[in-house]
Amino acid sequence: MEITLANLKRGQKGIIKDVSSLHIPLKLLEMGCLPGNAVELVQVAPFADPMYLNINGSHLAIRKETAVHILINIAHE
Amino acid sequence: MSKQINVALIGNPNTGKTSVFNALTGLNQKVGNYPGITVEKKEGICKLPRGVKAHIIDLPGTYSLNASSLDENLVIELLLNKNDKDFPDVAVVVSDVENLKRNLLLFTQIKDLEIPTILVINMADRMAYKGISLDIACLENELKTKIALVSTRKNQGIEKLRELISDYRKLSVEPCLNASEIDPEYFNSLREAFPNQLLYKLWLVITQDVNFGDIQRQESDTLEDFKTKTKIDLKRLQQKETIKRYQFINNTLKKGQTIDLSTAKDLRIRFDRILTHKVWGYLIFFFILLLIFQAIYDWSAIPMDFIDSTFASLSEWSKQTLPQGQFTNLIAEGIIPGLGGIVIFIPQIAFLFLFIAVLEESGYMSRVVFLMDRIMRRFGLSGKSVVPLMSGTACAIPAIMATRNIESWKERLITILVTPFTTCSARLPVYLIIIALVIPEGRFLGLISYQALTLMLLYLIGFGAALGSAYLLHKTLNIKSRSFFVVEMPNYKLPLFKNVLITVVEKTKAFVFGAGKIILAISIVLWFLASYGPGEHFNNAENIVTEQYATENLTEEELQQHIASYKLEHSYIGITGQAIEPLIQPLGYDWKIGIAIVSSFAAREVFVGTLATIYSVGSDEEETIKNRMAGEVNPVLGTPLFNFASGISLMLFYAFAMQCMSTLAIVKRETNSWKWPILQLVTMSSFAYLVALAAFQILK
């Protein structure tokens, strides 16, 4: 199933399918947020924002407004 | 004569780069500023085998050579400029064994610049714990470099690194991948136009189109013609480049690294379940804050009292031992109290930096950023604004410098503008002495003392003013800036004592010598202005006063006091104070407070020092400043000068007014414009005046 990263639930895993280079800072790409890499939602702050992710072994937090520009495939329901 | 080797330490944040720097240089290092900008420049000397010395620069942490901040930009500036005297003979890229994949991105970029590069794989002591094993020979071969496997915690591998640095001439300067394959046509035309230039260097200059402040970039004019591609195209290419680099890194690591996940442990996730929890996370943060404030106020009171009394007796001692004269007076009444006014802040500043260093080193600070981001965003700030606002309780200067990692310019600007509202330690002595004078002793509901409660309220007022004004700026400032927010959540680490100690010593030193110079200079100037005056009134004070009180049968001592106060009134400083008296009378102040306020526009902490200087000029008594202040009478109302109304008014004035030249200077440098510091000075100070006026008029 294809969703945006912002819809990922806590503990769920997925594979990044596409990132909108217009809206995603290069820095995030360089930290491993690239198509084909695995992503897991580790923890969310209140109101699910920001999101604490494990992308390709990098642990980082991004805001929901950035996460909506990242498309992922959920590994399995 | 042995030649010095220039070494640049480069690496991602959280790789222990500074630990490696500390291990190489020991305490043989100095922290300065890069010319013209306030980015901290850390450099040190390291002794290498065979009597060679290395000059090592610890460059700011960066994730890549595509800079997004002033700090990161500096790394490229140095690496692109062969004429810089610090241009490295050899680059040492520090990586963390647990994040090798991500850390190698920067390494491949630096290799493309054809600078001899050594790879340090740090935190080697964590390998077994994480189930990681490395084939160093294979990695060295693939990455075309030499590798030092280092553990700064266990003090391993540093000798090997020294060896490698001294043998830097044997390193290959061949890039490890050909990044120009992402668009061969474009890069070929680039190569033809600039046959003598490094391709990757040209590419960096073309793509780095962010705001670099006032730093000059080289060769940019000739390259203008080549900016034929749109920004979006360039960014797509950069994305392609990044993917290409990761492909290379993945292939390399497949050959040289194995991770046995069955033996790997991850404490980070377990800790983070609690430390970033919706409820527990905030509770724990709140308790840590309480602990910090407790340390700053309670624990540092003991050394502060000691410093206070030491300087008081030193002043007394010098007066009695040195030969009488103006020079002795200058030392005893100007310089020593001035120095005391600086030294007294050391315990608090040191405690605050100790806590901040421990929180940063342990990795906890990133969690605070994560927890606070959503809340801070309502006020137009970022989660990353929490660190500056917390540091602001020690001093606004390092706090404003700590805003550099905020990606969004608008959020960063607002943080810079509101940070001076937080109650810095320079306000504290002002608050403490006035609270002692005007707030009654006794306890609220028999629990908390009124005095402590007042102090706490003042802190809350400071934070409230910061958040309130941030909200206003957020709504009014019309700055379009894309707000990126990316924060790494590094592994938790036990802070290294040595690193923490060095940070605390360096930051405290920077404060003492930076702010200290101004405070000392002002103390001396004040003493002169108070000890000399123009005309008959000052120079003939003794005769005038003696005549005036001729009928009143005063003791010699009383007469001397009247003379001293008459002299002060007609000294240069007295005249200045009286000139501004009409302006401050509605606030409940007299001309002496006026002088103290005027002089504290240079720095707040001067207030108490000024009053100390004013009241101690011409008096030999050991009466404390507090008692003297309590005895002052308002010339208009006839009531004690420092009463509840004027005291509250004065404290509120200090809470809001922008009275720190050093902060204004830093704001100017960080925002690269006079507009923002002037805005701060005018709005904060007029707001302070109005609030103080209202407070006095209502309470009197």
Side-chain angles (χ1 to χ4, degrees), chain B residues 3 18-19 29 101 117 143 147 185 227 242 250 293 298 323 340 369 386 395 435 481 517 536 559 562 568 653 693:
Chain B
K3 183 198 173 284
T18 301
S19 307
Q29 50 177 268
K101 199 191 289 177
T117 307
L143 298 169
I147 295 176
E185 205 181 312
K227 294 192 173 169
T242 310
N250 284 335
F293 284 114
D298 248 30
V369 171
V386 175
C395 177
I435 285 175
S481 80
K517 268 183 253 164
E536 193 60 7
L559 189 66
H562 279 290
L568 184 59
F653 185 83
L693 177 69

mmCIF file of all heavy atoms in Angstrom, chain B residues 3 18-19 29 101 117 143 147 185 227 242 250 293 298 323 340 369 386 395 435 481 517 536 559 562 568 653 693:
data_model
loop_
_atom_site.group_PDB
_atom_site.id
_atom_site.type_symbol
_atom_site.label_atom_id
_atom_site.label_comp_id
_atom_site.label_asym_id
_atom_site.label_seq_id
_atom_site.Cartn_x
_atom_site.Cartn_y
_atom_site.Cartn_z
ATOM 1 N N LYS B 3 58.829 21.553 9.331
ATOM 2 C CA LYS B 3 57.655 22.197 8.750
ATOM 3 C C LYS B 3 56.403 21.750 9.510
ATOM 4 O O LYS B 3 56.313 20.611 9.950
ATOM 5 C CB LYS B 3 57.543 21.783 7.283
ATOM 6 C CG LYS B 3 56.394 22.460 6.568
ATOM 7 C CD LYS B 3 56.053 21.706 5.282
ATOM 8 C CE LYS B 3 54.811 22.246 4.621
ATOM 9 N NZ LYS B 3 53.600 21.843 5.279
ATOM 10 N N THR B 18 35.212 16.182 18.037
ATOM 11 C CA THR B 18 35.888 17.012 19.027
ATOM 12 C C THR B 18 36.686 16.160 20.008
ATOM 13 O O THR B 18 37.752 16.585 20.466
ATOM 14 C CB THR B 18 34.858 17.905 19.742
ATOM 15 O OG1 THR B 18 34.226 18.705 18.744
ATOM 16 C CG2 THR B 18 35.500 18.811 20.753
ATOM 17 N N SER B 19 36.198 14.951 20.306
ATOM 18 C CA SER B 19 36.975 14.057 21.171
ATOM 19 C C SER B 19 38.302 13.712 20.515
ATOM 20 O O SER B 19 39.343 13.655 21.178
ATOM 21 C CB SER B 19 36.225 12.765 21.444
ATOM 22 O OG SER B 19 34.946 13.018 21.931
ATOM 23 N N GLN B 29 45.388 23.776 22.886
ATOM 24 C CA GLN B 29 44.491 24.282 21.860
ATOM 25 C C GLN B 29 44.007 25.670 22.213
ATOM 26 O O GLN B 29 44.073 26.094 23.354
ATOM 27 C CB GLN B 29 43.285 23.349 21.720
ATOM 28 C CG GLN B 29 42.610 23.025 23.039
ATOM 29 C CD GLN B 29 41.381 22.157 22.860
ATOM 30 O OE1 GLN B 29 40.298 22.666 22.739
ATOM 31 N NE2 GLN B 29 41.562 20.844 22.845
ATOM 32 N N LYS B 101 27.724 4.395 7.021
ATOM 33 C CA LYS B 101 27.117 4.611 5.711
ATOM 34 C C LYS B 101 26.886 6.105 5.479
ATOM 35 O O LYS B 101 27.323 6.663 4.486
ATOM 36 C CB LYS B 101 25.797 3.846 5.655
ATOM 37 C CG LYS B 101 25.306 3.605 4.236
ATOM 38 C CD LYS B 101 23.895 3.095 4.221
ATOM 39 C CE LYS B 101 23.772 1.671 4.725
ATOM 40 N NZ LYS B 101 22.362 1.218 4.763
ATOM 41 N N THR B 117 43.358 12.451 2.134
ATOM 42 C CA THR B 117 42.329 12.306 3.164
ATOM 43 C C THR B 117 42.510 11.018 3.953
ATOM 44 O O THR B 117 42.685 9.955 3.374
ATOM 45 C CB THR B 117 40.929 12.304 2.509
ATOM 46 O OG1 THR B 117 40.809 13.461 1.698
ATOM 47 C CG2 THR B 117 39.838 12.324 3.555
ATOM 48 N N LEU B 143 38.182 2.617 -0.674
ATOM 49 C CA LEU B 143 38.044 4.062 -0.454
ATOM 50 C C LEU B 143 39.311 4.816 -0.829
ATOM 51 O O LEU B 143 39.363 6.039 -0.733
ATOM 52 C CB LEU B 143 37.681 4.339 1.021
ATOM 53 C CG LEU B 143 36.351 3.755 1.482
ATOM 54 C CD1 LEU B 143 36.217 3.854 3.003
ATOM 55 C CD2 LEU B 143 35.189 4.492 0.831
ATOM 56 N N ILE B 147 43.042 4.080 6.897
ATOM 57 C CA ILE B 147 42.009 4.166 7.927
ATOM 58 C C ILE B 147 42.637 4.005 9.314
ATOM 59 O O ILE B 147 43.493 3.142 9.521
ATOM 60 C CB ILE B 147 40.935 3.074 7.722
ATOM 61 C CG1 ILE B 147 40.184 3.332 6.403
ATOM 62 C CG2 ILE B 147 39.962 3.021 8.894
ATOM 63 C CD1 ILE B 147 39.175 2.272 6.043
ATOM 64 N N GLU B 185 27.133 15.246 -20.299
ATOM 65 C CA GLU B 185 27.180 16.343 -21.267
ATOM 66 C C GLU B 185 27.522 17.661 -20.582
ATOM 67 O O GLU B 185 28.424 18.397 -20.982
ATOM 68 C CB GLU B 185 25.812 16.444 -21.935
ATOM 69 C CG GLU B 185 25.839 17.074 -23.304
ATOM 70 C CD GLU B 185 24.426 17.140 -23.859
ATOM 71 O OE1 GLU B 185 23.720 16.103 -23.801
ATOM 72 O OE2 GLU B 185 24.025 18.227 -24.295
ATOM 73 N N LYS B 227 25.582 29.035 -15.135
ATOM 74 C CA LYS B 227 24.382 28.723 -14.351
ATOM 75 C C LYS B 227 23.184 28.645 -15.285
ATOM 76 O O LYS B 227 22.172 29.314 -15.107
ATOM 77 C CB LYS B 227 24.187 29.761 -13.265
ATOM 78 C CG LYS B 227 25.306 29.680 -12.246
ATOM 79 C CD LYS B 227 25.020 30.471 -11.002
ATOM 80 C CE LYS B 227 26.105 30.207 -9.978
ATOM 81 N NZ LYS B 227 26.041 31.119 -8.848
ATOM 82 N N THR B 242 23.757 12.410 -4.927
ATOM 83 C CA THR B 242 23.675 11.775 -3.618
ATOM 84 C C THR B 242 23.380 10.287 -3.751
ATOM 85 O O THR B 242 24.001 9.454 -3.085
ATOM 86 C CB THR B 242 22.576 12.463 -2.774
ATOM 87 O OG1 THR B 242 22.779 13.870 -2.826
ATOM 88 C CG2 THR B 242 22.619 12.002 -1.346
ATOM 89 N N ASN B 250 27.248 1.864 -0.466
ATOM 90 C CA ASN B 250 26.606 0.576 -0.177
ATOM 91 C C ASN B 250 27.444 -0.582 -0.699
ATOM 92 O O ASN B 250 27.627 -1.588 -0.011
ATOM 93 C CB ASN B 250 25.200 0.527 -0.792
ATOM 94 C CG ASN B 250 24.219 1.350 0.035
ATOM 95 O OD1 ASN B 250 24.434 1.560 1.233
ATOM 96 N ND2 ASN B 250 23.167 1.824 -0.592
ATOM 97 N N PHE B 293 18.359 24.985 37.466
ATOM 98 C CA PHE B 293 18.154 26.244 38.173
ATOM 99 C C PHE B 293 18.605 26.152 39.626
ATOM 100 O O PHE B 293 19.184 27.080 40.166
ATOM 101 C CB PHE B 293 16.685 26.677 38.092
ATOM 102 C CG PHE B 293 16.352 27.245 36.751
ATOM 103 C CD1 PHE B 293 15.469 26.625 35.899
ATOM 104 C CD2 PHE B 293 16.975 28.414 36.315
ATOM 105 C CE1 PHE B 293 15.200 27.141 34.654
ATOM 106 C CE2 PHE B 293 16.715 28.938 35.077
ATOM 107 C CZ PHE B 293 15.819 28.294 34.234
ATOM 108 N N ASP B 298 21.402 27.860 43.919
ATOM 109 C CA ASP B 298 21.767 27.392 45.248
ATOM 110 C C ASP B 298 23.248 27.065 45.339
ATOM 111 O O ASP B 298 23.963 27.588 46.156
ATOM 112 C CB ASP B 298 20.951 26.147 45.578
ATOM 113 C CG ASP B 298 19.965 26.454 46.685
ATOM 114 O OD1 ASP B 298 19.541 27.617 46.737
ATOM 115 O OD2 ASP B 298 19.656 25.548 47.476
ATOM 116 N N PRO B 323 50.604 53.098 49.293
ATOM 117 C CA PRO B 323 50.748 54.505 49.699
ATOM 118 C C PRO B 323 49.525 55.310 49.275
ATOM 119 O O PRO B 323 48.968 55.073 48.204
ATOM 120 C CB PRO B 323 52.003 54.961 48.948
ATOM 121 C CG PRO B 323 52.223 53.953 47.869
ATOM 122 C CD PRO B 323 51.669 52.668 48.386
ATOM 123 N N GLY B 340 35.933 42.367 40.498
ATOM 124 C CA GLY B 340 35.038 41.535 41.300
ATOM 125 C C GLY B 340 33.703 41.333 40.601
ATOM 126 O O GLY B 340 33.130 40.247 40.625
ATOM 127 N N VAL B 369 14.762 19.015 21.773
ATOM 128 C CA VAL B 369 14.369 19.681 20.533
ATOM 129 C C VAL B 369 13.137 18.995 19.953
ATOM 130 O O VAL B 369 12.162 19.647 19.567
ATOM 131 C CB VAL B 369 15.543 19.659 19.529
ATOM 132 C CG1 VAL B 369 15.089 20.136 18.158
ATOM 133 C CG2 VAL B 369 16.695 20.498 20.044
ATOM 134 N N VAL B 386 15.022 26.086 21.882
ATOM 135 C CA VAL B 386 15.057 25.801 23.312
ATOM 136 C C VAL B 386 16.477 25.958 23.862
ATOM 137 O O VAL B 386 16.677 26.516 24.939
ATOM 138 C CB VAL B 386 14.528 24.381 23.602
ATOM 139 C CG1 VAL B 386 14.689 24.039 25.069
ATOM 140 C CG2 VAL B 386 13.074 24.285 23.206
ATOM 141 N N CYS B 395 23.923 33.753 29.597
ATOM 142 C CA CYS B 395 24.384 34.925 28.881
ATOM 143 C C CYS B 395 23.828 34.867 27.469
ATOM 144 O O CYS B 395 23.834 33.822 26.833
ATOM 145 C CB CYS B 395 25.911 34.923 28.841
ATOM 146 S SG CYS B 395 26.585 36.304 27.909
ATOM 147 N N ILE B 435 15.731 42.943 45.528
ATOM 148 C CA ILE B 435 14.816 42.065 46.273
ATOM 149 C C ILE B 435 15.135 42.134 47.761
ATOM 150 O O ILE B 435 14.239 42.283 48.606
ATOM 151 C CB ILE B 435 14.917 40.609 45.764
ATOM 152 C CG1 ILE B 435 14.213 40.483 44.413
ATOM 153 C CG2 ILE B 435 14.291 39.640 46.769
ATOM 154 C CD1 ILE B 435 14.345 39.125 43.776
ATOM 155 N N SER B 481 10.381 32.074 4.388
ATOM 156 C CA SER B 481 11.516 31.164 4.411
ATOM 157 C C SER B 481 10.981 29.772 4.589
ATOM 158 O O SER B 481 10.079 29.533 5.382
ATOM 159 C CB SER B 481 12.491 31.534 5.523
ATOM 160 O OG SER B 481 12.046 31.050 6.756
ATOM 161 N N LYS B 517 36.314 42.677 29.665
ATOM 162 C CA LYS B 517 37.041 43.867 29.215
ATOM 163 C C LYS B 517 36.161 45.103 29.314
ATOM 164 O O LYS B 517 36.584 46.142 29.802
ATOM 165 C CB LYS B 517 37.480 43.665 27.755
ATOM 166 C CG LYS B 517 38.863 43.079 27.631
ATOM 167 C CD LYS B 517 39.254 42.980 26.161
ATOM 168 C CE LYS B 517 39.220 41.551 25.699
ATOM 169 N NZ LYS B 517 39.224 41.348 24.274
ATOM 170 N N GLU B 536 34.052 75.445 40.254
ATOM 171 C CA GLU B 536 34.180 75.861 41.646
ATOM 172 C C GLU B 536 33.565 74.835 42.605
ATOM 173 O O GLU B 536 34.159 74.450 43.589
ATOM 174 C CB GLU B 536 33.467 77.214 41.764
ATOM 175 C CG GLU B 536 33.723 77.969 43.033
ATOM 176 C CD GLU B 536 35.199 78.303 43.263
ATOM 177 O OE1 GLU B 536 36.055 78.063 42.365
ATOM 178 O OE2 GLU B 536 35.494 78.767 44.350
ATOM 179 N N LEU B 559 31.207 65.802 58.798
ATOM 180 C CA LEU B 559 31.566 66.853 57.856
ATOM 181 C C LEU B 559 32.188 66.250 56.597
ATOM 182 O O LEU B 559 31.833 66.607 55.475
ATOM 183 C CB LEU B 559 32.560 67.826 58.510
ATOM 184 C CG LEU B 559 32.851 69.089 57.683
ATOM 185 C CD1 LEU B 559 31.602 69.956 57.571
ATOM 186 C CD2 LEU B 559 33.997 69.868 58.290
ATOM 187 N N HIS B 562 29.586 64.828 54.357
ATOM 188 C CA HIS B 562 28.856 65.841 53.604
ATOM 189 C C HIS B 562 29.689 66.363 52.445
ATOM 190 O O HIS B 562 29.175 66.604 51.352
ATOM 191 C CB HIS B 562 28.464 66.999 54.534
ATOM 192 C CG HIS B 562 27.237 66.688 55.345
ATOM 193 N ND1 HIS B 562 25.988 66.594 54.780
ATOM 194 C CD2 HIS B 562 27.080 66.431 56.673
ATOM 195 C CE1 HIS B 562 25.104 66.294 55.721
ATOM 196 N NE2 HIS B 562 25.739 66.175 56.881
ATOM 197 N N LEU B 568 30.499 64.457 44.987
ATOM 198 C CA LEU B 568 29.937 63.494 44.036
ATOM 199 C C LEU B 568 28.833 64.154 43.215
ATOM 200 O O LEU B 568 28.755 64.002 41.998
ATOM 201 C CB LEU B 568 29.378 62.285 44.797
ATOM 202 C CG LEU B 568 28.844 61.156 43.933
ATOM 203 C CD1 LEU B 568 29.926 60.627 43.021
ATOM 204 C CD2 LEU B 568 28.297 60.034 44.799
ATOM 205 N N PHE B 653 12.195 47.288 34.825
ATOM 206 C CA PHE B 653 12.996 47.976 33.813
ATOM 207 C C PHE B 653 14.144 47.078 33.362
ATOM 208 O O PHE B 653 14.383 46.903 32.170
ATOM 209 C CB PHE B 653 13.531 49.295 34.369
ATOM 210 C CG PHE B 653 14.266 50.099 33.337
ATOM 211 C CD1 PHE B 653 13.575 50.910 32.453
ATOM 212 C CD2 PHE B 653 15.650 50.019 33.220
ATOM 213 C CE1 PHE B 653 14.250 51.635 31.484
ATOM 214 C CE2 PHE B 653 16.326 50.735 32.250
ATOM 215 C CZ PHE B 653 15.623 51.541 31.377
ATOM 216 N N LEU B 693 7.386 52.745 34.362
ATOM 217 C CA LEU B 693 6.609 53.943 34.681
ATOM 218 C C LEU B 693 5.249 53.545 35.248
ATOM 219 O O LEU B 693 4.836 54.006 36.317
ATOM 220 C CB LEU B 693 6.430 54.786 33.407
ATOM 221 C CG LEU B 693 5.577 56.039 33.543
ATOM 222 C CD1 LEU B 693 6.299 57.066 34.397
ATOM 223 C CD2 LEU B 693 5.253 56.630 32.176
#
